[in-house]
Amino acid sequence: MRNTMLLTLLLAVQSIIYGQNSLSGKITDQDTQEPVLSANIYFPTLERGTMTDLDGNFKISDLPSGNFKMVISSIGYASYTQDVVLPSQDITITLKPSAIEMEEVIVSTPFHQLQSDNVMKVERESVSELSKNGAVNLSEGITQIAGVENLTTGLGIGKPVIRGLSSNRVLVYTQGVRLENQQYGDEHGLGISSKGIASVEVIKGPASLLYGSDAIGGVLYLNPERYANENSTKASLESDYFTNTLGYQTSLMASTAGDRLKFIARGSYAAHSDYETGGGERVTNTRFNEKDIKAGIGFQNSVYKGDLRYNFNNSEIGIPEELGVQSTNKEPLLPYQNIDNHILSLDNKFYLNNSSIDLKVGYQFNDRQEFEDHHHHEDHEGEEHEEHEGEEHEEEEHEGEEHGDEQHEGEEHEGDEPALEMHLETLNYNLKYNFPKFDNLDLIAGVQGMWQSNENFGEEILIPDATTTDFGVFATAHYHLPRIDFQGGIRYDNRSIETESYVAEDGDILDEVDRQFNSFNGALGAKFDITDNLTTRLNLASGFRAPNLSELTSNGSHNGANRYEIGNPDLDNEQNFQIDLAVEWRNQHFEAFVNGFYNNVNDYIFISPSGEIIDDENVFRYQQDDAKLYGGEVGIHLHPHPLDWLHLESSFETVTGKLDNDDYLPLIPANSLTNTFRVEFDKGKLLSGSYSFLTLKNVFDQENPGSFETRTGGYSLVNLGAGTEIRTNSALFELRLSVNNLFDKNYFSQLSRLKNDGISNVGRNLMLSANIHI
């Protein structure tokens, strides 16, 4: 027995030693044959990489045996991919100079390729680039991506909208797991700080094959920032100031890495006052503040890679109701939300002989509390108390108008208990097996699942205590030929929702719900390189979305939406089928693209006024009908030779959504045209990475509002910005200035929930940023 164990241990050690490979090489310029400094060498499936030294040389150790795709990228050069069979001899690679922006590996799709090699069209932007344009938060920043908008309730509450679909029709992934924080609520925001997020990827269209339920409209995939390079340490201090909200945010990060162990930690804080419209009025209780902590521990050798990440986010967000007291205080008034969100994730990769196993597990705990000014008021005594408070509030308002309202308005809710408190616990898992590569065929199979419980602790109950269980099994493949690539797959999902009975606000007793939702879905796509410059992509995909708890069971008043909502326990799955066609033409100095889509949604769930009144609020009920959405994006990017520092960009986006009865869908963004003039200078004796830009965004009239919406007039916004980098031997200093809505335009966005209350969007906002990286 002992001999057998010894033999087994010997074989295991021999297998590990055999798998410990290293790869060395040199990167040079194709035209000059000079070495390329600081080129990135990266193995996407291994998530291992390094950079070249002054002589263009590199070396990566602790690599497993097998066939892996290697990606090489550097600023000023076209990105390069090559399959490498490990163990391998030293390699020499030449990069072709190019003014086109450096490509990055797409992580949200299963085969981790450059976008130019991807069958599915995926948009990717670094958060650093998005922040240059003065976005207050991540929800606002992603609107710079064509086809993506932001559904807002003030500045502190925003939801991503992809081609006209929002709420939990757009699935958000962070730290490799799906974000679950009661995100389907009307007045619930994204709940993720942009600090500590490296990049954003957007899948526009049904992605149920990869992600299951709720990805019917697309996926917003947030990549966490990377650790420091091996055997190095890095740190940064970032600070921003916003003139419109008198807001500020600051963030401190530190990361260190050895040969195998890596650590990272970041702490951030942000606070904003009520925003000011173009008309010069502050929108009462749009103030918010946010505390955010992110940390990670990574380990990697030739047979295993682990990445443990944790994120804690606390947000206090005012819920605006009307224009009232003019104040620059940052403590929210009643009503407001206090939200704690914890995300713990572990990403495991096990490298076998020419294959690998991926296992991602995540645990989330969301504590959502809502405080209201009438929570303790009962009967006549409560009415007297409310009247007295109202008189005090009038005096406070008058005093604020005369003396700048310097009092601490938030004191009135200190010590109060939340009227609404919900605890949401979620456990996710995603297990995938990456089969050995067979000629030009890559194959992945796996299972995904989720267990979730919602529990109420406040006196008010909008949705009942409930348990949700998901299970999905899928397989997907990619086949590569010299000019054409095919990708497809199939998936089966089951979702179980069980709720408890509860007493609603109107006194009705709502029965428990026990529902099962099942769906088969598939996807098939092809990418065809017609010429070296012209590429076309065609994708066919189906998706599904099970109704959420709010749609099935809600019965109560929603402060952020200013309405009384009643759910429908008999709702069915939403099931959709989308066709996407993308055509791209690019050379070294000019790019153009046309993206078109048609999305047919069966049993589309929507909310509509019923004509009833409960507690002086209009009642809205959930209904279903078939719907269709269609539109797309068109754009060009010109950077003429020899003026490679000059960039002219233009994009147009449009989407139309209709029910089968020809009524228009609500919350559909208006058509828009964005033109940007940008200059970039990468090199200089003292300053590097210098840039400036001027953007004109024209938003057209929305003449096709939903049945309970109003028409929205068009408007034009001018934004501009500039920035530079100062490099020393030990540090990099970044300075940025941006101005949004330069001419202080007073306008209404179609996707603002405050529009119906006659409250316009944010006016001129100047952002100043100073960052230090060491």
Side-chain angles (χ1 to χ4, degrees):
M1 178 68 177
R2 187 171 60 183
N3 290 339
T4 302
M5 290 178 64
L6 185 60
L7 179 60
T8 302
L9 180 61
L10 256 159
L11 289 172
V13 171
Q14 186 178 29
S15 173
I16 292 174
I17 293 174
Y18 176 74
Q20 291 177 344
N21 304 303
S22 63
L23 177 68
S24 301
K26 184 170 186 176
I27 311 297
T28 61
D29 186 298
Q30 177 179 287
D31 295 342
T32 67
Q33 306 306 312
E34 294 291 325
V36 178
L37 167 67
S38 298
N40 292 293
I41 298 90
Y42 188 62
F43 287 88
T45 55
L46 302 178
E47 297 186 12
R48 292 291 306 279
T50 189
M51 298 178 71
T52 55
D53 59 20
L54 287 170
D55 298 318
N57 297 318
F58 70 89
K59 183 176 181 179
I60 309 179
S61 304
D62 275 346
L63 296 173
S65 299
N67 188 338
F68 302 100
K69 185 181 294 293
M70 179 179 65
V71 177
I72 300 174
S73 57
S74 182
I75 295 175
Y77 295 90
S79 297
Y80 175 86
T81 61
Q82 176 179 317
D83 287 335
V84 176
V85 179
L86 299 174
S88 172
Q89 302 294 321
D90 290 355
I91 60 176
T92 300
I93 294 171
T94 60
L95 296 183
K96 181 180 178 181
S98 174
I100 297 174
E101 280 79 1
M102 182 176 64
E103 282 193 273
E104 297 284 353
V105 173
I106 300 299
V107 178
S108 56
T109 53
F111 299 102
H112 292 191
Q113 299 171 306
L114 294 174
Q115 177 52 48
S116 57
D117 298 324
N118 226 27
V119 172
M120 183 184 298
K121 177 70 173 177
V122 179
E123 305 287 351
R124 183 191 183 280
E125 289 287 347
S126 71
V127 170
S128 175
E129 288 298 316
L130 296 179
S131 65
K132 288 180 180 178
N133 293 282
V136 173
N137 50 39
L138 186 60
S139 297
E140 183 183 353
I142 60 175
T143 63
Q144 299 165 47
I145 300 173
V148 183
E149 292 294 340
N150 187 27
L151 176 60
T152 65
T153 309
L155 278 181
I157 301 174
K159 296 173 180 294
V161 180
I162 299 179
R163 289 177 168 175
L165 294 179
S166 58
S167 190
N168 69 328
R169 295 184 180 92
V170 174
L171 188 60
V172 178
Y173 255 62
T174 183
Q175 298 177 198
V177 297
R178 58 186 292 156
L179 178 65
E180 292 290 333
N181 62 355
Q182 306 280 14
Q183 67 275 12
Y184 49 75
D186 295 306
E187 66 277 25
H188 299 171
L190 195 58
I192 294 288
S193 171
S194 62
K195 302 299 184 183
I197 302 295
S199 61
V200 176
E201 297 176 15
V202 179
I203 299 175
K204 294 183 285 191
S208 291
L209 170 64
L210 306 177
Y211 297 102
S213 179
D214 302 348
I216 192 171
V219 176
L220 182 68
Y221 198 99
L222 308 177
N223 293 307
E225 63 185 324
R226 293 181 180 178
Y227 296 98
N229 292 328
E230 291 182 4
N231 300 309
S232 67
T233 298
K234 67 178 182 179
S236 68
L237 174 62
E238 304 170 19
S239 57
D240 308 301
Y241 178 74
F242 304 89
T243 59
N244 185 284
T245 61
L246 305 180
Y248 55 85
Q249 57 184 0
T250 185
S251 183
L252 179 64
M253 182 277 294
S255 177
T256 186
D259 291 330
R260 294 182 176 180
L261 273 176
K262 302 179 180 182
F263 302 91
I264 194 169
R266 177 181 286 274
S268 307
Y269 179 75
H272 293 266
S273 303
D274 297 338
Y275 79 79
E276 189 174 49
T277 69
E281 295 180 295
R282 291 199 177 273
V283 181
T284 308
N285 212 23
T286 54
R287 62 196 73 175
F288 64 97
N289 56 70
E290 179 182 59
K291 307 175 188 72
D292 190 82
I293 296 173
K294 293 183 174 73
I297 302 175
F299 173 82
Q300 184 167 12
N301 59 20
S302 60
V303 294
Y304 172 75
K305 177 182 180 299
D307 189 4
L308 178 67
R309 299 267 184 165
Y310 171 71
N311 180 206
F312 167 72
N313 184 278
N314 169 260
S315 299
E316 281 192 330
I317 307 174
I319 301 176
E321 296 180 314
E322 60 184 3
L323 291 174
V325 61
Q326 299 294 287
S327 169
T328 57
N329 284 338
K330 294 179 172 59
E331 185 72 20
L333 297 169
L334 298 170
Y336 76 100
Q337 301 173 7
N338 186 356
I339 307 161
D340 286 341
N341 199 53
H342 303 262
I343 306 174
L344 182 66
S345 64
L346 177 60
D347 185 357
N348 303 276
K349 293 182 182 292
F350 304 91
Y351 301 110
L352 310 176
N353 188 20
N354 291 319
S355 64
S356 63
I357 296 174
D358 297 346
L359 174 61
K360 295 180 181 178
V361 291
Y363 171 78
Q364 297 173 65
F365 178 77
N366 179 260
D367 179 5
R368 182 177 294 274
Q369 300 179 2
E370 187 170 302
F371 295 83
E372 301 175 3
D373 53 2
H374 60 271
H375 177 51
H376 290 302
H377 309 152
E378 293 180 5
D379 303 327
H380 180 67
E381 181 179 335
E383 291 173 7
E384 291 179 353
H385 181 61
E386 285 183 5
E387 185 177 348
H388 178 64
E389 277 195 336
E391 292 172 356
E392 288 185 345
H393 181 68
E394 287 178 8
E395 290 179 8
E396 184 179 321
E397 186 172 325
H398 177 67
E399 191 172 327
E401 291 171 354
E402 293 186 351
H403 305 289
D405 193 33
E406 297 176 355
Q407 295 175 343
H408 192 281
E409 298 159 324
E411 288 178 357
E412 64 180 281
H413 62 68
E414 287 184 2
D416 197 6
E417 293 297 321
L420 180 72
E421 181 174 3
M422 297 186 291
H423 291 181
L424 187 71
E425 288 189 90
T426 307
L427 177 65
N428 301 98
Y429 62 89
N430 186 354
L431 177 63
K432 296 190 297 185
Y433 178 63
N434 302 281
F435 288 83
K437 190 178 182 69
F438 179 75
D439 290 335
N440 295 319
L441 179 66
D442 294 297
L443 179 63
I444 296 175
V447 295
Q448 285 180 341
M450 178 184 78
W451 176 87
Q452 183 177 89
S453 72
N454 181 73
E455 192 172 2
N456 288 277
F457 290 88
E459 291 185 10
E460 292 184 12
I461 299 178
L462 295 183
I463 56 175
D465 294 355
T467 301
T468 302
T469 307
D470 276 2
F471 176 77
V473 56
F474 67 95
T476 181
H478 181 273
Y479 187 70
H480 173 72
L481 293 173
R483 284 283 184 183
I484 190 167
D485 290 78
F486 296 98
Q487 187 172 309
I490 192 169
R491 177 179 180 124
Y492 169 76
D493 281 279
N494 170 266
R495 169 168 287 190
S496 170
I497 299 178
E498 297 180 8
T499 75
E500 297 182 8
S501 62
Y502 76 102
V503 179
E505 282 187 34
D506 60 2
D508 289 345
I509 298 177
L510 301 185
D511 294 334
E512 65 273 7
V513 173
D514 186 356
R515 297 288 306 276
Q516 298 283 332
F517 302 95
N518 304 283
S519 183
F520 281 97
N521 290 282
L524 180 64
K527 179 183 77 75
F528 182 39
D529 296 325
I530 301 173
T531 68
D532 290 341
N533 303 112
L534 183 61
T535 299
T536 183
R537 293 178 172 89
L538 177 64
N539 282 275
L540 313 175
S542 68
F544 92 105
R545 183 180 77 90
N548 60 50
L549 285 175
S550 184
E551 293 164 338
L552 290 170
T553 64
S554 65
N555 193 311
S557 175
H558 288 250
N559 279 317
N562 295 323
R563 63 193 183 206
Y564 194 103
E565 297 185 4
I566 297 179
N568 181 354
D570 298 321
L571 294 173
D572 293 324
N573 274 345
E574 288 183 341
Q575 189 78 44
N576 77 326
F577 179 78
Q578 180 165 310
I579 301 175
D580 279 278
L581 178 63
V583 180
E584 304 166 37
W585 193 92
R586 64 162 51 188
N587 63 15
Q588 189 174 348
H589 301 286
F590 180 76
E591 303 170 61
F593 66 87
V594 178
N595 304 326
F597 75 96
Y598 182 87
N599 188 0
N600 189 77
V601 187
N602 291 328
D603 294 319
Y604 181 89
I605 300 171
F606 62 98
I607 195 167
S608 181
S610 66
E612 306 165 80
I613 301 291
I614 297 180
D615 292 340
D616 296 326
E617 290 189 307
N618 293 318
V619 174
F620 284 67
R621 293 181 180 270
Y622 286 98
Q623 304 176 31
Q624 284 189 299
D625 195 1
D626 294 343
K628 54 183 175 293
L629 299 98
Y630 51 88
E633 305 87 36
V634 180
I636 60 170
H637 182 186
L638 173 66
H639 31 91
H641 182 75
L643 308 178
D644 293 338
W645 47 268
L646 175 64
H647 297 261
L648 300 171
E649 302 173 41
S650 181
S651 64
F652 173 77
E653 52 191 89
T654 179
V655 59
T656 299
K658 282 186 173 184
L659 293 170
D660 263 14
N661 62 7
D662 276 341
D663 285 348
Y664 288 96
L665 295 179
L667 302 177
I668 299 296
N671 298 342
S672 65
L673 174 66
T674 305
N675 295 285
T676 299
F677 174 85
R678 180 163 48 96
V679 296
E680 296 178 345
F681 298 97
D682 292 327
K683 298 179 181 179
K685 292 183 179 179
L686 177 64
L687 304 180
S688 62
S690 301
Y691 69 90
S692 61
F693 68 87
L694 175 67
T695 297
L696 172 63
K697 183 170 184 177
N698 300 103
V699 179
F700 299 94
D701 296 345
Q702 177 53 284
E703 301 285 4
N704 303 317
S707 58
F708 58 91
E709 293 180 316
T710 58
R711 172 192 176 278
T712 307
Y715 52 90
S716 297
L717 301 178
V718 176
N719 306 325
L720 57 82
T724 190
E725 298 175 353
I726 304 172
R727 293 182 181 271
T728 67
N729 292 332
S730 59
L732 169 66
F733 298 87
E734 288 182 314
L735 299 174
R736 298 174 181 172
L737 168 68
S738 64
V739 184
N740 288 346
N741 193 1
L742 176 64
F743 298 110
D744 208 20
K745 176 75 173 179
N746 196 41
Y747 70 97
F748 296 87
S749 168
Q750 175 67 16
L751 295 183
S752 170
R753 291 191 179 276
L754 303 182
K755 184 193 74 165
N756 292 336
D757 297 321
I759 300 174
S760 53
N761 287 69
V762 63
R764 182 189 300 114
N765 186 29
L766 187 148
M767 184 186 82
L768 297 168
S769 297
N771 306 323
I772 304 173
H773 306 275
I774 58 176

